[in-house]
Structures are given as structure tokens and as C-alpha cells.
Amino acid sequence: MRIEKCYFCSSPCYPGHGIVFVRNDSKSFRFCRSKCHRNFNKKRNPRKVAWTKAYRRTRGKELAVDSAFEFEKRRNRPVKYDRNLMGKTIMAMQRVQSIKERREERFHANRMQDAKAE
């Protein structure tokens, strides 16, 4: 079971939900809901639509550059199942998530502090 990301808004797209559009060159676009699919069909730019993650990143409202994003990349290399490895992987995922949350909180606090100063 793989949780994909919506092509338009970058929200999680769970199995059995959403729409998959496959272009003639066999590139597939996964959308979490019809709202994203409609906006894609209207050729709207996600960086200019206010409710998308891309908009928030380009406007500096969310963390855009962080080394923790490297862990979220999709990897298609099959790995033989190993119980110890899976346990370590889950522990590492939890650790990365906690680090990411702390960084986002710090980023938000700095943003609010700058806004208060103005």
C-alpha cells in the first residue's frame, strides 16, 4: 500500500481515492479529489492557486528548503524484508518526523515574530 501525493495540491492520496489521469506519453497524474483534477484541466498553475502547498512554499509561508525533504523522495528499489531493518526504518521515520515538526514550529515562530515587528 503506497500513499501517493496529489500532483496539484501535494496532499496525500490514499489507495482507492482520487483520480489518475494518464497522458498520451504515459505520464500519470494522480489527483486527490475532483477539485484538483478540474483545476489541472483548466491549466491553472498550482503556484498561483492560494490553497495549494506550492503556493504556500513560493510565498514563504511554509518551509521550502530542508534536508528532511530528501527522505520523502520516492524510491523504487526493492529491498528484501528484514525485521531488524524494518524496526530501524520505522524508528528513523519517527525521528525524522519529530525533527521536521520542530523545524516547522521554529519557522512559524520566526515568521510570526517578523510579522509582529512590522
Side-chain angles (χ1 to χ4, degrees):
M1 183 175 91
R2 175 174 275 160
I3 300 170
E4 305 278 346
K5 286 216 185 270
C6 176
Y7 179 79
F8 195 80
C9 70
S10 303
S11 67
C13 189
Y14 293 95
H17 293 262
I19 303 161
V20 179
F21 168 67
V22 182
R23 211 164 47 188
N24 286 341
D25 63 352
S26 73
K27 180 166 175 27
S28 61
F29 301 92
R30 184 174 293 275
F31 304 104
C32 59
R33 54 186 179 256
S34 60
K35 178 182 181 180
C36 297
H37 189 224
R38 281 195 318 265
N39 281 296
F40 177 80
N41 285 339
K42 291 177 182 176
K43 294 184 171 51
R44 288 196 176 143
N45 188 346
R47 286 173 289 180
K48 293 183 179 178
V49 180
W51 49 268
T52 62
K53 282 263 194 198
Y55 176 89
R56 293 185 62 78
R57 284 193 178 130
T58 54
R59 298 299 190 280
K61 295 182 181 301
E62 276 188 16
L63 208 55
V65 180
D66 190 19
S67 58
F69 295 139
E70 292 294 318
F71 295 111
E72 289 183 7
K73 285 189 178 174
R74 185 173 165 180
R75 293 168 184 83
N76 289 326
R77 187 176 300 143
V79 179
K80 189 174 180 181
Y81 179 77
D82 180 18
R83 188 179 186 129
N84 294 332
L85 178 67
M86 291 304 279
K88 288 180 182 176
T89 303
I90 291 171
M91 295 293 285
M93 286 168 61
Q94 291 170 347
R95 178 95 173 104
V96 167
Q97 185 64 31
S98 67
I99 290 170
K100 204 161 116 179
E101 286 172 359
R102 272 191 266 126
R103 286 181 181 170
E104 286 175 2
E105 286 172 8
R106 213 175 313 130
F107 179 76
H108 184 263
N110 289 339
R111 255 186 60 229
M112 294 299 114
Q113 194 174 25
D114 292 343
K116 205 178 276 186
E118 292 176 2

